[in-house]
Amino acid sequence: MRLSLIAIMTAATLSSPALFAADLKATLATDIQALMPKVIEWRRDLHQHPELSNREFRTSKLVAAELKKLGLEVQTGIAHTGVVAILKGAKPGPMVALRADMDALPVKEQVDLPFASKATAEYNGQQVGVMHACGHDAHVAMLLGAATVLSKQQKQLAGSVMFIFQPAEEGAPAGEEGGASLMLKQGLFAKTKPDAIFGVHVWPAPTGQLQVKAEGIMAAADSFEIKVKGVQVHGSSPWRGIDPVAVSGQLITALHQIPARQLDVTQAPAVMSIGQVHGGVRWNIIPDEVVLGGTVRTFDPQMREQLLAKMKHTAEHIAAASGATAEFHQHSFAAVTWNDVKLTEWAMPSLTWAAGKAGVSSIKPITASEDFSFYQQQVPGVFFFLGIAEEGADLSKTAPNHSPFFRVNEAALENGVRALSGLAVDFLHKN
């Protein structure tokens, strides 16, 4: 009787979801290692053929073709060029979503690689170089890798996996919609809403290390434009008009003082930066209008509203003091990338398995932004970073994302594929 009871207990233990997932992940690890040459091949091909936001035509075609080879249900054309695929496991269970972004940046590559980008395109009326300066080529390749190895285990999966290949994370072109918000608007989660979503971003950190934190990991981002209107006049007699250039100079100084002197930044970080100043066509003519453009980054919704309101108030009153007017316009680009506390805690063993010797590290809040945040407003989600710096590199001198010198250590990509596929397997079998 005792032996039978032990046998029953042993059988129950061996069939537990945790051990089943561990056994499946051991198979995944072997499959991922064997697949890495293909993952790197995908990444290099995408890197050599980058495409700007909402123009990811070749990229989405490649992605859809690879997913169809796996026998997945594939939907194309969502949010212009987005691709979504569903892998249905043989057993019932929850749905988990994995996301990669596809677009490149208007940056001319200055990295000496045999597969460096030579691509050019039109951006805001200018001919520009195009480069995967943020690593989205690596994101797509890693998610294709995860889709490939998970598809091989379809009969073992309890639930479904949604693979989201998203366009325009960097922002849609002027006058267009795009990105995560448009995918959701066009019904991404309307028919089937996942129970959780995960996303990874390459980052100049130690090779293969995974970095994460609960709650706010990336900032909310707003763009703003201020039109300062004066009265045009000859530069030799400025008193005859109203100088919007002089007003704009006062505004730039005053606006930068708001986060530094009018907000309690001990509660949460806040950043305001002006990146554009446009006005005038000739050296001896004071123009009638100057346009300022910039960005606001915040981690607290109340502080965000406070900062934007103070900026509008400051612009209007400084302009009025000189007889000019100021029109303040604001556009929300992304919400705070907010990692669900319980899901982040749950994900730690999966990330630890994926990172191996490289380890998992906590990360401070980042004032860059991500429209992955819009998915997190719909379902619990965790966004994390993968270190792709060269082995032994001085991180203080490593080119950051969006730099023309940005480069990816491809040796780190295996841990990214492990993280995405490991999280999916663990989530589907967690119950």
Side-chain angles (χ1 to χ4, degrees), residues 217-274:
I217 190 170
M218 299 184 77
D222 292 88
S223 63
F224 66 87
E225 180 183 85
I226 303 173
K227 290 184 178 180
V228 181
K229 296 185 178 182
V231 177
Q232 185 168 311
V233 70
H234 197 290
S236 64
S237 51
W239 59 88
R240 295 179 181 273
I242 298 174
D243 187 352
V245 177
V247 172
S248 296
Q250 296 174 53
L251 264 182
I252 291 171
T253 300
L255 291 171
H256 279 108
Q257 292 297 310
I258 297 174
R261 293 293 180 267
Q262 299 182 40
L263 298 179
D264 183 359
V265 292
T266 65
Q267 301 301 312
V271 174
M272 193 286 302
S273 296
I274 294 172

Side-chain angles (χ1 to χ4, degrees), residues 307-373:
L307 175 53
L308 291 169
K310 286 180 178 294
M311 290 174 64
K312 183 176 186 294
H313 176 86
T314 298
E316 291 174 347
H317 283 73
I318 285 181
S322 297
T325 60
E327 297 176 1
F328 184 87
H329 302 278
Q330 164 268 334
H331 172 71
S332 177
F333 173 74
V336 176
T337 306
W338 187 267
N339 285 344
D340 182 87
V341 175
K342 290 183 179 179
L343 188 62
T344 303
E345 182 180 355
W346 170 87
M348 290 304 294
S350 304
L351 296 177
T352 300
W353 171 83
K357 293 181 180 179
V360 180
S361 175
S362 180
I363 191 172
K364 294 180 180 179
I366 296 169
T367 49
S369 64
E370 248 289 349
D371 70 355
F372 185 85
S373 56

Side-chain angles (χ1 to χ4, degrees), residues 125-141:
Q126 300 181 47
Q127 200 68 16
V128 297
V130 183
M131 175 192 175
H132 271 296
C134 204
H136 296 185
D137 52 337
H139 301 170
V140 172

Side-chain angles (χ1 to χ4, degrees), residues 201-212 358-364 366 384-401 406-413 415:
H201 204 299
V202 295
W203 188 252
T207 305
Q209 185 180 89
L210 298 176
Q211 298 184 336
V212 69
V360 180
S361 175
S362 180
I363 191 172
K364 294 180 180 179
I366 296 169
F384 57 97
F385 292 88
L386 169 67
I388 45 77
E390 296 297 327
E391 291 284 356
D394 182 347
L395 298 181
S396 67
K397 298 179 181 178
T398 300
N401 301 62
F406 179 77
R407 63 191 302 156
V408 171
N409 181 355
E410 294 172 337
L413 301 187
N415 284 3

